[in-house]
Amino acid sequence: MTFSATRPARVGIIGTGNIFDRYVNGMARYPRLRLTGCADLDHARTLKAAADHGIRAYASVDALLGDPGVDIVVNITPPLAHAAVSAQALRAGKHVYVEKPVAATVAEAAPLTALARECGVLFGSAPDTFLGSAAQTARKALDDGLIGQPVGVTAFVTHSKAETWHPNPGFLFAPGGGPGLDLGPYYLTSLVNLIGPIATVSGLSRIGAPVREVTSPGRTVESIEVTTPTHAAAVIGFSSGVIGSLQMSFDVWNHHLPFIEVYGTDGTLTIPDPNGFDGDVRLRGNREEQWRTLPPVFPPSGPLDMDVQMLRGAGVDDLAGAVDGAPHRASAELAFHVLEALEAVETSSGSRQVVELTSTAERPAARTQ
Ligand SMILES: NC(=O)c1ccc[n+]([C@@H]2O[C@H](COP(=O)([O-])OP(=O)(O)OC[C@H]3O[C@@H](n4cnc5c(N)ncnc54)[C@H](O)[C@@H]3O)[C@@H](O)[C@H]2O)c1
């Protein structure tokens, strides 16, 4: 079945929480996608979300999955529900796109890609920001050899300060969250897109501040007890021989470090926040006096303010395109490899051993438009 030739892909969303509006507004930018309806465990939320956007409110998740008028399910439930909801949707014969992490653990995620193949459907996963103009401009610079052979990378996963803006951020400080599984996927996915697959991981992690005060407007909790590591440092060994140093922290509130830098034999590339699509990619050759901003390989998705950069939908369009025969870039296979690397930081911290990854992932096809 192809979509774009005959009709748009019909999308149903499961989970109508904080990120829901950004999916609805973001997906509206893609003519290939048409949002049909939504479902949530909390039916009052389903009704409000559906009324806000003039879409169908399904009575339950089962009702949405039983509708033959839904082609793609977007799973934006919290991480601990990702695997079960995705599995149910795949078994219902739907193509599925799930928010990051692809599942809360490697063990939960492992059967899902095979399940998708058995069910004859495609399975995609966030993040999708590496499809944007910044990551693709950096990718082209590397592919064109502008910094020579990459030798090392630095990535610094910063604090999202969710205590100050998310009404119920508890899941971000519990297993399945933390800087590693909440924001780490944006950084490691971007790095796999640039450098290729990861072979080994070693790291140390800990809980920093054990209780977080929630100050967000409209909050439904006043404080959070932290039950997952919030500060980690890791050494990432890429299969190509590139060595990465990765810091991930919900304890560092202010800093001067870059988001991602790639160091090559001929120069350095500095890359903006991989939690957004666009921004300046800057390069400085080893013997150049100044940094220069590279022209983007295609126009940015919009202004650099967070309201635009946080819009979602590119990965759902990528999935619909893959059903139509285009390369599947934001694939669950890629997300699984990234999850395995992030979980390995914890494993290594516990065992004090270097972890060799069992999975790999191809660099996704580069985008030129
Ligand atoms: N909030 C953000 O800015 C943001 C940004 C990027 C990605 N994400 C990701 O999106 C996902 C959702 O985040 P959120 O902030 O919207 O969470 P949220 O807690 O605000 O909303 C989750 C919704 O899912 C519903 N839900 C829970 N279990 C369910 C189940 N089994 N079946 C159906 N509905 C269920 C809840 O009732 C809730 O309405 C997470 O994976 C998160 O990492 C969030």
Side-chain angles (χ1 to χ4, degrees):
M1 175 182 41
T2 63
F3 296 132
S4 47
T6 49
R7 60 172 174 79
R10 298 161 302 185
V11 180
I13 298 184
I14 301 179
T16 58
N18 187 266
I19 193 72
F20 177 80
D21 286 350
R22 291 189 180 139
Y23 266 89
V24 175
N25 297 331
M27 287 197 309
R29 300 177 299 177
Y30 298 95
R32 181 158 47 193
L33 306 177
R34 185 161 62 81
L35 179 59
T36 61
C38 59
D40 194 292
L41 274 187
D42 180 338
H43 194 56
R45 283 193 180 182
T46 308
L47 292 175
K48 178 172 184 325
D52 284 351
H53 296 284
I55 57 173
R56 180 168 168 189
Y58 288 92
S60 64
V61 168
D62 285 347
L64 185 153
L65 295 180
D67 182 356
V70 172
D71 305 301
I72 293 178
V73 166
V74 172
N75 174 2
I76 47 175
T77 60
L80 290 177
H82 283 181
V85 170
S86 293
Q88 199 187 344
L90 293 168
R91 285 199 190 94
K94 308 299 185 190
H95 305 290
V96 174
Y97 182 81
V98 62
E99 252 302 334
K100 48 77 198 165
V102 58
T105 63
V106 167
E108 284 183 0
L112 295 177
T113 45
L115 177 63
R117 277 194 294 278
E118 271 166 38
C119 297
V121 290
L122 291 186
F123 186 24
S125 179
D128 54 9
T129 45
F130 75 93
L131 302 170
S133 70
Q136 296 296 327
T137 299
R139 167 73 179 263
K140 184 167 186 328
L142 282 172
D143 290 354
D144 290 350
L146 298 191
I147 61 163
Q149 283 299 317
V151 175
V153 298
T154 300
F156 188 62
V157 179
T158 53
H159 191 4
S160 63
K161 303 180 185 173
E163 306 97 305
T164 64
W165 55 263
H166 197 297
N168 187 10
F171 74 90
L172 298 169
F173 295 88
L181 295 197
D182 180 38
L183 294 181
Y186 294 106
Y187 292 71
L188 282 198
T189 307
S190 189
L191 289 178
V192 173
N193 174 54
L194 295 173
I195 308 288
I198 295 164
T200 61
V201 173
S202 55
L204 283 174
S205 65
R206 57 165 287 183
I207 290 176
V211 177
R212 305 298 175 117
E213 185 194 357
V214 180
T215 57
S216 49
R219 60 189 171 276
T220 56
V221 291
E222 292 297 326
S223 73
I224 301 163
E225 209 160 306
V226 178
T227 54
T228 200
T230 51
H231 187 82
V235 175
I236 308 290
F238 290 86
S239 305
S240 62
V242 171
I243 299 171
S245 56
L246 175 69
Q247 286 250 31
M248 308 189 284
S249 189
F250 282 176
D251 289 285
V252 176
W253 284 71
N254 300 294
H255 60 87
H256 293 290
L257 295 176
F259 292 100
I260 295 178
E261 285 188 343
V262 185
Y263 312 107
T265 50
D266 296 340
T268 296
L269 199 58
T270 184
I271 298 164
D273 186 352
N275 194 0
F277 292 89
D278 310 301
D280 285 347
V281 174
R282 299 193 307 139
L283 184 148
R284 184 165 171 185
N286 288 350
R287 287 173 182 76
E288 287 174 356
E289 294 294 320
Q290 304 282 342
W291 291 93
R292 57 193 156 100
T293 301
L294 298 178
V297 287
F298 49 82
S301 62
L304 276 183
D305 63 80
M306 284 309 276
D307 283 346
V308 174
Q309 295 300 317
M310 287 293 289
L311 287 177
R312 296 300 185 238
V316 186
D317 186 62
D318 176 68
L319 174 67
V323 174
D324 276 347
H328 193 189
R329 296 178 172 92
S331 69
E333 282 83 0
L334 173 60
F336 180 82
H337 182 57
V338 164
L339 174 66
E340 194 193 7
L342 290 165
E343 194 174 278
V345 178
E346 291 311 298
T347 313
S348 170
S349 184
S351 67
R352 301 296 199 260
Q353 304 277 321
V354 176
V355 177
E356 305 221 9
L357 300 196
T358 59
S359 69
T360 188
E362 294 292 317
R363 286 201 316 163
R367 286 188 72 201
T368 51
Q369 55 181 11

